[in-house]
Amino acid sequence: MPAGADRERRRVGIVDVAAAAGVSRQTVSNVLNGREEYYSTATYEKVTSAMRALGYRPNRAAQTLRSRRTAQIGYHIFGEQLDQAQGFTLRFLQSLVRAAAEVDHQVLVFTHRRDDPLGVFKDLVARHAVDAIVLSESTVDDDRARFLADSGIPFACFGRLAPDLPQHWVDVDNTAGMSAVVDALVADGHLRFAYLAADGDQYWKLDRLDGVVRRLAHHGVRLPKSAMFRGSDQGVRRRARQLLTGKNPPSAIVTGSDAVAAAVVGVAHSLGLGVGSDVAVTGFDGGAVGLVTEPTLTSARIPVDRVSRTLVARCLRQVEHGRDDEPGLVLPTELVRGGSA
Amino acid sequence: MPAGADRERRRVGIVDVAAAAGVSRQTVSNVLNGREEYYSTATYEKVTSAMRALGYRPNRAAQTLRSRRTAQIGYHIFGEQLDQAQGFTLRFLQSLVRAAAEVDHQVLVFTHRRDDPLGVFKDLVARHAVDAIVLSESTVDDDRARFLADSGIPFACFGRLAPDLPQHWVDVDNTAGMSAVVDALVADGHLRFAYLAADGDQYWKLDRLDGVVRRLAHHGVRLPKSAMFRGSDQGVRRRARQLLTGKNPPSAIVTGSDAVAAAVVGVAHSLGLGVGSDVAVTGFDGGAVGLVTEPTLTSARIPVDRVSRTLVARCLRQVEHGRDDEPGLVLPTELVRGGSA
DNA sequence: CTGAAAGCGCTAACAT
DNA sequence: ATGTTAGCGCTTTCAG
């Protein structure tokens, strides 16, 4: 039996498509890569129908090797995440994956090793495993961002960066977000406020606090020192209890995040107070946490989808045109009204 | 000036290493791929030091194209995840990424498009974008698993699969986990129990319920119908309140998950009851949720790291030796005692 | 607009 | 134990 008779199920390659369509392999490649100047509509039809008929899908490794584009975006997550970020990280990742998919890219998730935080980054860059890297929960002076900037790989951060770093970032307007929350509360007639938040001196935590203080001042409402607290989850609960059982309790408790708000809601319940009626509670984030509290949270929603889409766009821009001097982008939050305020 | 004088920063390739080490490219390749039969210790030293000196890192695309191995594992996540799984998914992903990294693999995260749930899978398989795929939250008769089985790509699931599917799965022993919880509670002298859980008829939810009922029976304790409830988060809260304020309230509330347990803890607090003192509450999972409640939860901990490591191992086994007939693996949970029971 | 040639950087299969 | 010869399947460059 001649070798040609083998029922061998060969992978279908670009040449098979070319043969089936009666054109050369490049024409197929051009169609594949949407180089519209280089083929006629008729050719396009022939080629695409041949691809469909053969069930052809280009081999990624070959494309990558030749074009030097992986169509993959790296996303760094921290290994240990017992904190507030928990819920948000997954929401963001989901959004990022969708945003990447919209432009035919995939997301490679990676973590660092404890003993060598930058090692993975070096590896990824050196091995050309990704076209760009996205960072979230970045600090202003972020080691990772600094390394990426030095190495020259395209990147973008969710969170603003120091002025001496490339401004490849997107962030939300924390101050304005809190202002909107305060405005709504004031419009509802609240006069006695408190602000509770997780501790930490990240700029966004400070911005949120600042937003509340300033906006209340704008409305002529003072926020007494004793009604401001930033600390651990436990500390927040304790202080919430103190405030709510003390004399002249706040009628509205603004918090720095949905996680904190959820904790406060729990405390209020435990004191037999009606949330949204006896006391208003607000959060910041607008993700899933706020939907499982009872009542649901009024919160400043972070527009995750816009954030991730922008991040992906900025990455690809750098991939295609080299490092740019675009400034950072600040996105507004959206006030979502739940039953908690 | 001659062209050779260009200060052109060329990528260092395998030939550069070979030249520097004074060996052929294959020898370098052999060292790279740990084919120990094919080089001497002396050669190894020469080659590795040359690699270090040149800062050489093999190009992934080229390796993939030639070896037909991507060193990437795909992980599918659902797009909308407002439910209990939330916290767990991220914990699992983190663990999976680490487990993959331990064997020099990376994790590619992807979601499906609503209108074509299997489309991404087809694409990934056809384009050889990953070596294997990991699924979590799989159902017994999982469409995704069925597709993967048909397509022949290596895969592994967190969650048992129907007998007519390849048994590429790992799962935890839900029944035994609950038994351990019940044992601890009984040992503490509890006699009046209740069981609250999220609704849904996934086998693991049924197994957990079953575990509680059987083990209580084993101890001679009856769980009245009225003390068993499965429903929405809201429903659970309502029922918890009813139970705790009714006559003859339970002294121990066993729940189907840490998320439900957290809700029950909130309800107990709202009724002024001390959790861990007035009423015991237990969860199932052992992740971050149980650490932020007050007190922390007593729970059956899912050994995520073992799960993900096993999943990765099973994937690689198939990659290397083809589909196997290994049976599914059931892993035990570990009882973690928090302050809630 | 289409075709032919060249090669991305590596590893498999063979030789030595 | 090391070297030689061929590609992997595509895209780039350049010629028609």
Side-chain angles (χ1 to χ4, degrees):
Chain A
M1 194 197 239
D6 282 346
R7 258 303 258 103
E8 186 179 66
R9 209 193 233 302
R10 259 210 333 109
R11 260 195 57 74
V12 0
I14 201 168
V15 292
D16 302 303
V17 178
V23 298
S24 80
R25 54 197 284 151
Q26 282 61 267
T27 304
V28 177
S29 174
N30 289 333
V31 169
L32 221 47
N33 296 288
R35 288 188 231 302
E36 308 192 359
E37 327 90 84
Y38 296 130
Y39 54 81
S40 62
T41 324
T43 321
Y44 175 83
E45 283 305 337
K46 278 193 301 188
V47 172
T48 48
S49 71
M51 296 200 302
R52 257 193 309 278
L54 298 174
Y56 170 74
R57 317 253 46 200
N59 178 303
R60 282 284 308 276
Q63 287 183 312
T64 298
L65 181 56
R66 193 58 186 134
S67 67
R68 311 195 136 283
R69 296 266 308 241
T70 60
Q72 288 189 171
I73 292 174
Y75 175 57
H76 178 247
I77 60 175
F78 291 99
E80 346 61 21
Q81 224 149 6
L82 303 178
D83 57 345
Q84 324 87 347
Q86 266 267 357
F88 185 76
T89 303
L90 186 62
R91 177 164 162 240
F92 178 69
L93 175 60
Q94 289 175 159
S95 176
L96 184 66
V97 169
R98 277 197 302 270
E102 283 171 8
V103 289
D104 290 310
H105 279 242
Q106 293 171 325
V107 174
L108 192 77
V109 175
F110 62 96
T111 340
H112 56 267
R113 293 188 353 187
R114 255 185 195 266
D115 52 328
D116 182 16
L118 257 30
V120 226
F121 289 90
K122 287 183 188 140
D123 200 67
L124 246 30
V125 172
R127 308 193 57 179
H128 297 267
V130 293
D131 290 339
I133 289 178
V134 166
L135 260 30
S136 68
E137 292 149 72
S138 58
T139 57
V140 173
D141 187 359
D142 200 285
D143 279 345
R144 305 169 297 168
R146 215 163 268 291
F147 170 78
L148 295 174
D150 287 345
S151 78
I153 191 179
F155 73 96
C157 299
F158 182 12
R160 65 200 66 191
L161 296 173
D164 65 316
L165 282 169
Q167 299 295 296
H168 302 154
W169 56 264
V170 178
D171 203 355
V172 291
D173 193 334
N174 292 290
T175 313
M178 276 305 189
S179 295
V181 168
V182 168
D183 285 350
L185 255 14
V186 168
D188 286 350
H190 289 284
L191 290 170
R192 297 186 312 284
F193 286 80
Y195 183 74
L196 301 177
D199 51 0
D201 54 1
Q202 292 93 319
Y203 71 88
W204 50 274
K205 289 183 177 165
L206 301 176
D207 281 357
R208 290 179 193 177
L209 170 58
D210 203 52
V212 173
V213 173
R214 277 187 203 284
R215 196 62 181 179
L216 280 177
H218 167 88
H219 286 295
V221 179
R222 237 197 95 240
L223 184 64
K225 266 269 178 319
S226 64
M228 260 185 295
F229 178 80
R230 304 191 304 133
S232 69
D233 207 66
Q234 294 232 7
V236 164
R237 281 174 213 266
R238 196 164 35 233
R239 182 59 71 94
R241 207 166 287 128
Q242 278 173 17
L243 287 168
L244 290 172
T245 55
K247 63 168 69 165
N248 217 346
S251 71
I253 299 183
V254 178
T255 74
S257 70
D258 281 5
V260 170
V264 172
V265 166
V267 170
H269 279 157
S270 77
L271 297 171
L273 295 172
V275 172
S277 46
D278 296 325
V279 61
V281 178
T282 64
F284 201 109
D285 177 348
V289 177
L291 297 176
V292 298
T293 60
E294 199 183 315
T296 56
L297 293 179
T298 288
S299 187
R301 174 183 290 148
I302 296 172
V304 230
D305 286 339
R306 281 193 65 191
V307 170
S308 50
R309 259 197 280 261
T310 311
L311 253 17
V312 169
R314 297 217 42 172
C315 281
L316 296 194
R317 195 177 198 288
Q318 295 168 55
V319 170
E320 274 149 27
H321 312 296
R323 179 171 304 174
D324 58 59
D325 293 325
E326 297 281 302
L329 178 67
V330 177
L331 256 23
T333 58
E334 181 200 354
L335 184 70
V336 289
R337 299 225 54 162
S340 75
Chain B
M1 197 193 239
D6 281 348
R7 261 298 261 103
E8 187 178 66
R9 208 191 233 304
R10 258 211 334 109
R11 260 194 57 73
V12 0
I14 201 170
V15 293
D16 302 305
V17 177
V23 298
S24 81
R25 52 198 281 147
Q26 256 50 317
T27 303
V28 178
S29 174
N30 289 148
V31 170
L32 220 47
N33 295 289
R35 289 188 228 303
E36 307 192 359
E37 328 91 83
Y38 296 130
Y39 55 80
S40 61
T41 323
T43 324
Y44 175 84
E45 283 305 337
K46 276 192 301 186
V47 171
T48 49
S49 71
M51 295 200 302
R52 254 193 310 279
L54 299 174
Y56 170 73
R57 318 254 44 200
N59 178 303
R60 282 283 309 275
Q63 287 184 311
T64 298
L65 180 57
R66 190 62 236 216
S67 67
R68 313 195 135 283
R69 296 266 248 115
T70 60
Q72 288 188 172
I73 293 175
Y75 175 57
H76 179 246
I77 59 173
F78 293 99
E80 348 56 23
Q81 222 148 4
L82 303 177
D83 57 344
Q84 325 86 349
Q86 267 270 356
F88 185 77
T89 303
L90 186 62
R91 176 163 161 241
F92 178 70
L93 175 60
Q94 289 174 161
S95 177
L96 184 67
V97 169
R98 277 196 303 270
E102 282 171 8
V103 289
D104 290 312
H105 279 243
Q106 293 171 324
V107 174
L108 192 76
V109 175
F110 61 97
T111 341
H112 56 268
R113 292 188 354 187
R114 253 181 196 267
D115 51 328
D116 182 15
L118 257 31
V120 225
F121 289 89
K122 288 184 188 143
D123 198 68
L124 245 30
V125 172
R127 308 194 57 178
H128 297 265
V130 294
D131 290 339
I133 288 178
V134 166
L135 260 28
S136 69
E137 293 148 72
S138 57
T139 58
V140 173
D141 187 358
D142 200 286
D143 280 344
R144 304 169 297 169
R146 215 163 269 288
F147 171 78
L148 295 174
D150 288 344
S151 78
I153 190 178
F155 73 97
C157 299
F158 182 11
R160 63 200 68 190
L161 295 174
D164 65 315
L165 282 169
Q167 299 296 296
H168 302 151
W169 56 263
V170 178
D171 203 355
V172 291
D173 194 333
N174 293 290
T175 313
M178 275 304 191
S179 295
V181 168
V182 167
D183 285 351
L185 256 12
V186 167
D188 287 349
H190 289 284
L191 290 170
R192 298 187 312 284
F193 286 80
Y195 183 74
L196 301 177
D199 50 0
D201 54 358
Q202 292 93 316
Y203 71 89
W204 49 274
K205 289 182 179 166
L206 301 176
D207 282 357
R208 289 178 194 178
L209 170 59
D210 202 51
V212 174
V213 173
R214 275 188 203 283
R215 196 62 182 179
L216 281 177
H218 167 88
H219 287 294
V221 179
R222 238 198 93 238
L223 184 63
K225 266 267 179 318
S226 64
M228 260 186 293
F229 177 80
R230 304 192 302 131
S232 67
D233 207 67
Q234 294 232 5
V236 164
R237 282 174 212 266
R238 197 162 36 233
R239 182 59 71 95
R241 208 165 285 129
Q242 278 172 19
L243 287 168
L244 289 171
T245 54
K247 65 169 65 164
N248 216 346
S251 71
I253 299 183
V254 178
T255 75
S257 69
D258 281 5
V260 170
V264 172
V265 166
V267 169
H269 279 158
S270 76
L271 297 171
L273 295 172
V275 171
S277 46
D278 297 323
V279 61
V281 178
T282 64
F284 201 111
D285 176 349
V289 178
L291 297 176
V292 297
T293 61
E294 199 182 317
T296 56
L297 292 178
T298 287
S299 187
R301 174 184 290 149
I302 296 173
V304 230
D305 286 340
R306 280 193 66 192
V307 170
S308 50
R309 258 196 281 261
T310 312
L311 253 16
V312 168
R314 297 219 40 174
C315 280
L316 296 194
R317 197 178 195 288
Q318 294 168 55
V319 170
E320 272 148 28
H321 312 296
R323 179 171 302 174
D324 58 61
D325 293 324
E326 297 282 302
L329 178 66
V330 177
L331 257 22
T333 58
E334 181 200 351
L335 185 70
V336 290
R337 299 226 53 162
S340 74

